[in-house]
Amino acid sequence: MTRRLPTIKDLLPKLSDLLNLLSSAEREQLLKDASVHVFRKNELIYNSGDKPTHLQCLLSGKVKVCKDGVGGRTQIVRVIRPVEYFGYRPAFAGENYVSYALAFENSTIVRIPMQEVINVVKENPRLSWFFINRLATDLGRADERTVSLTQKHIRGRLADALLFLKESYGVEEDGFTLSIYLSREDLANLSNMTTSNAIRTLSAFATERLVAVDGRKVKLLDIAKLEKISRIG
Amino acid sequence: MTRRLPTIKDLLPKLSDLLNLLSSAEREQLLKDASVHVFRKNELIYNSGDKPTHLQCLLSGKVKVCKDGVGGRTQIVRVIRPVEYFGYRPAFAGENYVSYALAFENSTIVRIPMQEVINVVKENPRLSWFFINRLATDLGRADERTVSLTQKHIRGRLADALLFLKESYGVEEDGFTLSIYLSREDLANLSNMTTSNAIRTLSAFATERLVAVDGRKVKLLDIAKLEKISRIG
DNA sequence: AGTGTTTTATGTTCTACGGCACAAAATTAG
DNA sequence: CTAATTTTGTGCCGTAGAACATAAAACACT
């Protein structure tokens, strides 16, 4: 079977929620140096300390954005789904990356030179609004997350993580199975606990019939109950 | 002694980092319905659930932005200093407030109708950039904070809080005393611990000569050591 | 198939920190 | 000035959850 890298032209429709905001000249300006990259599972997309030279758009696959804390423990800060733009925050803040991004699974990404994006942002208020809206939404989520992760107990945090994954990546045709298959360790890093506790708590949920587990496949059987656990902490 | 409410005209210079980005017509548009408000210590500036009808600018005083978590425990999410704009995030995200703001001490605030701000933002990329830059910076801080609060131990979190207060509000003429006098409870809510533990840990810092405490006045005696405690968690 | 490596699972121990109780001090109210 | 309330300071206890150990299972690689 022959494989080819998709060209930018193939992908235009997927990028359109951003590109539609632009004049054709602006579109040209952004796309002339855009490039497509394929990352294997667990491959590093950008690293902490790197200069944010490119706006990235995830076309297919799944990506996690992480930060490592003091004890070497890793926190998954955000997850990216297709078709979502990411990697722009530090460029807008005038910083280097303070997080790193890894492909959960094989992923295709378009990279657009950030300087061009900034040039257009500084001219085109519609594009500005696009980013203002996303940054404001993400900031709200981040604050919410801080409170949840610091105040809720383990069961509440795991329930949060499961519901969050459903919202982020959806479920399979059966309507129950999370479309993303995470290791217990990733699940732990998402909900701020140790791997052992993620395993234990997920087992507990399984015996309580809140979820059904088959390896890395997780079926969410009782959303209402999970939401309640999330609410009461 | 007679007191009068300052007029918008008096305050124009203080608002200037934002207003300088605007045409005089735009400036007029924003200021025509702007108003000045004075809040007493501990007074509520906006509440969770409120509609974000106004962009606010703190002219004098100090303000805390809080969220309450599941156990009724309060988390101080952000602190505002003069001259800083706040209260705009949910408007840009299309949400209502999910936090509430209280005056730490008597504070003066200018309120500008948010709809007018949005109208100008959607026309003027320089103003857009102003908010993009701030939102991006705040989002970076929020992520950093999440990791710190979840992973560092109590001493690290309290050290963080003290250094953060120094950075936010500065010190008095002696070069050591924090310019903000916080209750132990506020200190606890800032660093995600119970009031008792804030008291205990601050006492420990005092006996270690890292700080000197006199009521609510806190002198930071050994910044380097505090930074180290923050770093090692 | 066989061997090494990573992931999952479970039990056991240990401790950081929350919860609670109470007293002293400080602040506010009347 | 006195009473009431809030804040600060300490001690003690209980426990959620981390740390560690070990084994079984799953997976990867020759």
Side-chain angles (χ1 to χ4, degrees):
Chain A
M1 181 171 73
T2 53
R3 297 270 304 274
R4 70 184 182 84
L5 211 58
T7 65
I8 294 282
K9 193 145 173 279
D10 296 330
L11 303 167
L12 273 182
K14 292 202 166 187
L15 297 166
S16 59
D17 63 330
L18 186 147
L19 295 180
N20 283 345
L21 305 171
L22 308 179
S23 72
S24 55
E26 289 168 336
R27 206 166 339 196
E28 186 54 36
Q29 186 181 353
L30 290 195
L31 290 182
K32 72 176 193 301
D33 290 315
S35 54
V36 180
H37 298 255
V38 174
F39 293 89
R40 310 292 310 267
K41 185 175 168 154
N42 289 322
E43 212 177 334
L44 186 69
I45 298 170
Y46 62 74
N47 205 350
S48 182
D50 288 356
K51 216 178 140 192
T53 55
H54 292 266
L55 170 66
Q56 328 224 12
C57 182
L58 179 65
L59 295 173
S60 69
K62 301 184 177 72
V63 168
K64 59 179 165 180
V65 177
C66 310
K67 276 173 88 85
D68 289 346
V70 282
R73 260 167 67 206
T74 298
Q75 171 74 48
I76 299 181
V77 174
R78 219 178 305 290
V79 303
I80 314 294
R81 63 178 155 187
V83 179
E84 194 176 336
Y85 290 86
F86 68 103
Y88 52 81
R89 189 208 63 81
F92 288 143
E95 308 166 1
N96 286 341
Y97 284 113
V98 292
S99 59
Y100 57 92
L102 293 175
F104 264 135
E105 49 187 60
N106 295 351
S107 297
T108 311
I109 284 168
V110 173
R111 308 179 82 218
I112 301 173
M114 196 65 213
Q115 191 50 59
E116 296 299 329
V117 176
I118 291 178
N119 289 342
V120 177
V121 161
K122 288 193 169 175
E123 295 293 327
N124 181 336
R126 300 219 294 159
L127 183 60
S128 298
W129 183 258
F130 176 92
F131 286 113
I132 286 177
N133 183 254
R134 267 156 190 74
L135 287 165
T137 305
D138 282 351
L139 181 54
R141 285 218 191 89
D143 285 341
E144 191 63 46
R145 194 169 159 67
T146 301
V147 177
S148 291
L149 287 181
T150 55
Q151 302 205 3
K152 287 183 185 175
H153 285 185
I154 271 198
R155 289 169 57 89
R157 302 201 307 264
L158 185 66
D160 274 355
L162 294 173
L163 294 167
F164 172 71
L165 289 172
K166 176 174 148 78
E167 197 182 300
S168 298
Y169 294 121
V171 289
E172 298 183 344
E173 310 75 50
D174 65 6
F176 295 101
T177 307
L178 290 180
S179 297
I180 184 168
Y181 305 162
L182 282 191
S183 71
R184 303 291 189 267
E185 190 184 1
D186 276 332
L187 215 47
N189 292 341
L190 202 52
S191 32
N192 187 41
M193 61 186 70
T194 55
T195 305
S196 340
N197 272 326
I199 292 168
R200 256 188 274 269
T201 311
L202 193 65
S203 297
F205 282 3
T207 58
E208 294 168 46
R209 307 273 172 226
L210 304 176
V211 305
V213 178
D214 171 22
R216 294 191 176 186
K217 292 192 188 188
V218 179
K219 271 194 175 62
L220 303 192
L221 299 179
D222 193 341
I223 302 285
K225 201 76 171 288
L226 286 171
E227 280 168 347
K228 189 178 173 196
I229 291 175
S230 156
R231 240 178 296 112
I232 64 175
Chain B
M1 181 173 74
T2 53
R3 296 271 305 276
R4 72 184 181 85
L5 212 58
T7 66
I8 296 281
K9 194 147 173 275
D10 295 331
L11 303 167
L12 273 182
K14 292 202 166 186
L15 297 167
S16 58
D17 63 329
L18 187 146
L19 294 181
N20 283 345
L21 304 171
L22 308 179
S23 72
S24 55
E26 290 168 336
R27 207 167 338 197
E28 187 54 36
Q29 186 181 351
L30 290 195
L31 290 181
K32 71 176 195 300
D33 290 316
S35 55
V36 180
H37 297 256
V38 174
F39 293 88
R40 309 292 309 267
K41 185 176 167 153
N42 288 321
E43 211 177 332
L44 186 69
I45 297 169
Y46 62 75
N47 204 351
S48 183
D50 288 356
K51 215 177 142 198
T53 54
H54 293 267
L55 169 66
Q56 327 224 10
C57 180
L58 179 64
L59 296 173
S60 69
K62 300 184 177 73
V63 168
K64 59 179 165 181
V65 177
C66 310
K67 278 173 87 85
D68 289 347
V70 281
R73 260 167 69 206
T74 298
Q75 172 74 47
I76 299 181
V77 173
R78 218 178 306 288
V79 302
I80 314 294
R81 62 178 155 187
V83 177
E84 193 176 337
Y85 290 85
F86 69 103
Y88 51 81
R89 188 208 63 82
F92 287 144
E95 308 166 2
N96 287 341
Y97 284 114
V98 293
S99 60
Y100 56 92
L102 292 175
F104 264 135
E105 50 188 60
N106 295 351
S107 297
T108 311
I109 284 167
V110 173
R111 309 179 81 218
I112 301 173
M114 196 66 214
Q115 191 49 59
E116 296 299 329
V117 176
I118 291 178
N119 290 342
V120 177
V121 160
K122 288 193 170 174
E123 295 294 327
N124 181 336
R126 300 220 295 157
L127 183 60
S128 297
W129 183 258
F130 176 91
F131 285 113
I132 286 177
N133 183 254
R134 266 155 190 74
L135 286 165
T137 305
D138 282 351
L139 180 55
R141 286 219 190 89
D143 286 342
E144 191 62 46
R145 196 169 157 67
T146 301
V147 177
S148 291
L149 287 182
T150 55
Q151 302 204 4
K152 287 183 186 175
H153 285 185
I154 272 198
R155 290 169 58 89
R157 301 201 310 263
L158 186 65
D160 273 356
L162 295 173
L163 294 168
F164 172 71
L165 288 172
K166 176 174 148 75
E167 196 181 301
S168 299
Y169 293 122
V171 288
E172 298 183 345
E173 310 77 49
D174 64 5
F176 295 101
T177 308
L178 290 179
S179 297
I180 184 168
Y181 306 161
L182 283 190
S183 71
R184 303 292 190 267
E185 189 184 2
D186 276 332
L187 215 46
N189 292 341
L190 203 52
S191 31
N192 186 41
M193 63 186 69
T194 55
T195 306
S196 340
N197 273 326
I199 291 168
R200 255 187 276 269
T201 311
L202 193 64
S203 297
F205 282 3
T207 59
E208 295 169 47
R209 308 278 171 221
L210 305 176
V211 305
V213 178
D214 170 23
R216 294 191 177 184
K217 290 193 188 186
V218 179
K219 271 193 176 62
L220 304 191
L221 299 179
D222 194 340
I223 302 286
K225 200 74 171 288
L226 286 171
E227 280 167 347
K228 188 180 173 194
I229 291 176
S230 157
R231 241 178 296 114
I232 65 177

